[in-house]
Amino acid sequence: GESVGLHLPTLSVQEGDNSIINCAYSNSASDYFIWYKQESGKGPQFIIDIRSNMDKRQGQRVTVLLNKTVKHLSLQIAATQPGDSAVYFCAEKLAGTASKLTFGTGTRLQVTL
Amino acid sequence: ETGVTQSPTHLIKTRGQQVTLRCSSQSGHNTVSWYQQALGQGPQFIFQYYREEENGRGNFPPRFSGLQFPNYSSELNVNALELDDSALYLCASSPELGGETQYFGPGTRLLVL
């Protein structure tokens, strides 16, 4: 069935260190994955996405890695800053399901000074 | 800011009442999706509208209904409110049908007493 799970509900990282947020998905028919950042009281904010025909994609300070063999997705944030503190969601889209995204429960990233 | 706006920001209703939530999509975006986000959970897909027609629906009962207007703005209507309907309701727009990247608004916080 459709499910997107996250390994760690809370991740604490020191400012300046790199953060790695992991996500497992169960549906091999998913063809698109996306990471969102959600700050308290706000809607999810797009960070980066990746299609299933890729295994890595880089943005500004962020990298998404996709391992289809083990159905695993990760978000790497370089030089983590206090402004990165938020809940991070991964979401997947099944091929042929228009734009329906299936979200996991989220990982809270806490950046300590 | 994504350019997606929602109104109202907060709302309190009682069980059995009806509610209408509104969303204005980002300029140039013709596809609107609605999600329900319970506290501490990831967003759950309700339905999607494209060119004023429903295009995909999640596991929500018929008392959740919607509309899309010629200017691509959208409404979410919920009848016979239940306590479990208390949640953050998110609207997301995308530039085309099948465009996976969805841009979210700030949401409407609904509390049902």
Side-chain angles (χ1 to χ4, degrees):
Chain A
E2 301 173 11
S3 70
V4 177
L6 298 174
H7 295 304
L8 297 172
T10 303
L11 178 66
S12 187
V13 174
Q14 205 155 21
E15 182 181 5
D17 288 350
N18 296 334
S19 302
I20 300 176
I21 302 172
N22 295 304
C23 176
Y25 65 95
S26 61
N27 202 317
S28 57
S30 292
D31 64 352
Y32 174 80
F33 304 88
I34 188 167
W35 282 98
Y36 285 96
K37 170 187 179 183
Q38 188 172 27
E39 297 174 281
S40 182
K42 297 184 178 181
Q45 175 189 350
F46 170 81
I47 302 173
I48 192 167
D49 57 1
I50 188 168
R51 297 186 187 279
S52 59
N53 60 354
M54 303 171 67
D55 53 22
K56 180 179 180 179
R57 193 166 187 218
Q58 288 184 289
Q60 188 177 11
R61 277 203 309 121
V62 294
T63 301
V64 55
L65 298 178
L66 175 63
N67 186 331
K68 294 181 288 293
T69 303
V70 295
K71 299 196 189 84
H72 184 266
L73 191 69
S74 69
L75 176 70
Q76 300 177 3
I77 305 173
T80 311
Q81 301 168 0
D84 295 327
S85 294
V87 177
Y88 289 79
F89 292 97
C90 68
E92 64 181 315
K93 185 189 79 67
L94 294 179
T97 56
S99 298
K100 173 186 174 181
L101 294 176
T102 300
F103 285 78
T105 53
T107 293
R108 180 172 299 281
L109 177 65
Q110 294 178 332
V111 182
T112 58
L113 302 178
Chain B
E1 298 295 327
T2 62
V4 180
T5 61
Q6 293 187 242
S7 62
T9 56
H10 296 82
L11 203 51
I12 300 175
K13 292 285 188 178
T14 56
R15 275 186 305 173
Q17 284 190 310
Q18 178 265 342
V19 69
T20 298
L21 310 181
R22 295 178 174 83
C23 169
S24 291
S25 61
Q26 188 169 327
S27 179
H29 287 192
N30 58 20
T31 304
V32 173
S33 302
W34 286 91
Y35 291 80
Q36 180 195 66
Q37 185 176 24
L39 200 61
Q41 302 292 320
Q44 299 273 321
F45 177 77
I46 303 175
F47 43 55
Q48 179 184 84
Y49 277 83
Y50 170 71
R51 291 188 176 180
E52 303 175 58
E53 297 285 334
E54 187 179 290
N55 178 64
R57 188 179 183 92
N59 189 26
F60 281 81
R63 60 190 184 84
F64 285 78
S65 63
L67 284 173
Q68 187 181 30
F69 300 98
N71 66 354
Y72 306 132
S73 65
S74 178
E75 286 183 355
L76 164 65
N77 299 289
V78 187
N79 293 322
L81 283 166
E82 301 176 359
L83 297 180
D84 285 349
D85 295 333
S86 296
L88 180 68
Y89 288 85
L90 295 160
C91 167
S93 73
S94 48
E96 60 188 28
L97 185 65
E100 294 97 347
T101 307
Q102 298 183 29
Y103 299 92
F104 283 84
T108 294
R109 174 72 64 185
L110 173 65
L111 177 61
V112 182
L113 301 175

